Amino acid sequence: MRYFMSWVESDEGGKGGRGWVDKYIHRYVNIGGPTLGVPKVVTALLSGDTSDSIWLPDFGAFLTDRSVLSKSGRSLWFRSMSSGSAMLPHGGEEIWGKPPHETFLCISGPGAEKFGKRSSEGCVPYTTTESIELMFKRSGEETRSMWEADRTTWGEALVEPLPLSKNLKIYCLYGVGVDTERAYNYRYDAKNDKLETDSIIFTDGDGTVPLISLGYMCAKGWKTKKLNPSGVKVTTREYQHKPATLSLRGGPGTSDHVNILLNAEVIGDILEIAAGIDVQERI
């Protein structure tokens, strides 16, 4: 939606002109939106693994490497989805941190020196920016050219200001209290020149998107004059994940990334917003 709001007013996009958003969009409800990206996108392209798939056996020994049942096949499949570039982590080390306090990837195993100097923990640390670059290098120039084809800043939350509008209101609704992928330990298989996920480090979030990507722009970034020049009102509401014990989808108190749409309180808040009633901020 943020991409659309920039595109529609641009002379290079929708050609709606400045003021289009102010005239036609009154309320924007962002439900679980990854405004600063999702770490698992990097590892999905790098090794074909996320916490959702790491438990799956690798059928590469029995099937072609291009089969989605093999890790290399999954990574090729993920690389073909160029829209995923919008979900790469944004903000670099200022947002995601840097070693020794915050490491996005750490590579161990015989021959890991190929990727750099080992830290005191015995692995080669990579920042978020370095991890994305490593992903592109190992994915090939075809992936890089496809994923970097869009040279605009439309939708880039830390670069593109909110549209000028006196009428627009933004609501950020998202779940918290679910373990969410944040960083990764990799093991290098020198014989096959492959990176394998060894372990995953989790943080708070909605199970897919870390809290910093869900809430930073809503609670802080869009409260600044630089990124919100006309003072668009931004309201943030967090929903603690309270899944029902005997429900496959989590029940009316669930707040994970997908099933939050079943959350009774979220549904009630959306109806109030649609009816023109302001909901209160809750962080």
Side-chain angles (χ1 to χ4, degrees):
M1 186 62 183
R2 274 294 295 113
Y3 184 98
F4 171 78
M5 287 193 287
S6 296
W7 171 86
V8 74
E9 292 194 345
S10 172
D11 290 338
E12 299 175 5
K15 299 180 172 58
R18 180 175 292 183
W20 193 98
V21 170
D22 185 53
K23 183 177 180 180
Y24 293 105
I25 302 179
H26 182 49
R27 299 189 176 209
Y28 162 39
V29 182
N30 179 29
I31 305 175
T35 56
L36 295 177
V38 185
K40 68 166 63 178
V41 172
V42 178
T43 58
L45 271 73
L46 190 57
S47 64
D49 266 337
T50 68
S51 63
D52 308 303
S53 63
I54 192 172
W55 59 272
L56 291 171
D58 187 359
F59 293 101
F62 310 101
L63 301 169
T64 170
D65 278 351
R66 302 188 73 86
S67 168
V68 294
L69 292 178
S70 69
K71 290 184 179 181
S72 57
R74 286 198 295 270
S75 64
L76 288 171
W77 180 52
F78 289 133
R79 291 169 192 171
S80 70
M81 302 176 184
S82 60
S83 59
S85 61
M87 292 192 292
L88 286 172
H90 294 283
E93 287 60 72
E94 291 297 319
I95 294 296
W96 300 96
K98 58 185 177 180
H101 305 294
E102 295 285 354
T103 301
F104 190 83
L105 286 182
C106 218
I107 305 172
S108 62
E113 293 81 3
K114 169 182 178 178
F115 298 94
K117 184 179 179 181
R118 293 180 188 263
S119 68
S120 58
E121 297 180 356
C123 57
V124 182
Y126 270 65
T127 65
T128 306
T129 303
E130 292 168 341
S131 299
I132 293 173
E133 181 60 25
L134 175 65
M135 177 270 291
F136 278 130
K137 282 183 177 179
R138 294 184 68 85
S139 298
E141 286 304 312
E142 183 180 357
T143 300
R144 185 193 294 272
S145 61
M146 180 173 64
W147 279 54
E148 294 183 346
D150 185 353
R151 299 294 181 179
T152 71
T153 59
W154 298 336
E156 291 190 22
L158 292 167
V159 178
E160 189 82 4
L162 292 175
L164 298 173
S165 176
K166 295 179 180 179
N167 297 308
L168 177 65
K169 292 182 179 181
I170 295 176
Y171 300 85
C172 299
L173 316 181
Y174 56 83
V176 294
V178 188
D179 285 344
T180 306
E181 295 177 45
R182 169 65 177 79
Y184 307 84
N185 289 314
Y186 267 67
R187 182 179 61 258
Y188 179 55
D189 176 2
K191 180 180 179 181
N192 298 301
D193 191 29
K194 288 185 177 182
L195 288 170
E196 303 282 351
T197 306
D198 193 31
S199 62
I200 299 174
I201 299 164
F202 294 88
T203 187
D204 192 14
D206 67 2
T208 296
V209 187
L211 179 57
I212 194 168
S213 183
L214 290 165
Y216 177 82
M217 293 307 303
C218 307
K220 186 174 181 179
W222 287 332
K223 298 295 176 74
T224 65
K225 188 73 174 178
K226 178 182 177 181
L227 294 175
N228 188 358
S230 60
V232 170
K233 184 179 179 181
V234 181
T235 302
T236 302
R237 280 180 71 81
E238 295 182 346
Y239 302 84
Q240 190 67 34
H241 184 53
K242 299 176 182 178
T245 305
L246 300 177
S247 173
L248 293 176
R249 297 290 298 278
T254 184
S255 296
D256 66 59
H257 186 66
V258 174
N259 293 319
I260 192 172
L261 294 175
L262 300 175
N263 186 294
E265 189 178 8
V266 171
I267 294 172
D269 287 343
I270 293 172
L271 291 174
E272 288 195 354
I273 293 169
I277 303 171
D278 279 332
V279 296
Q280 298 300 308
E281 185 155 282
R282 183 180 66 198
I283 300 177

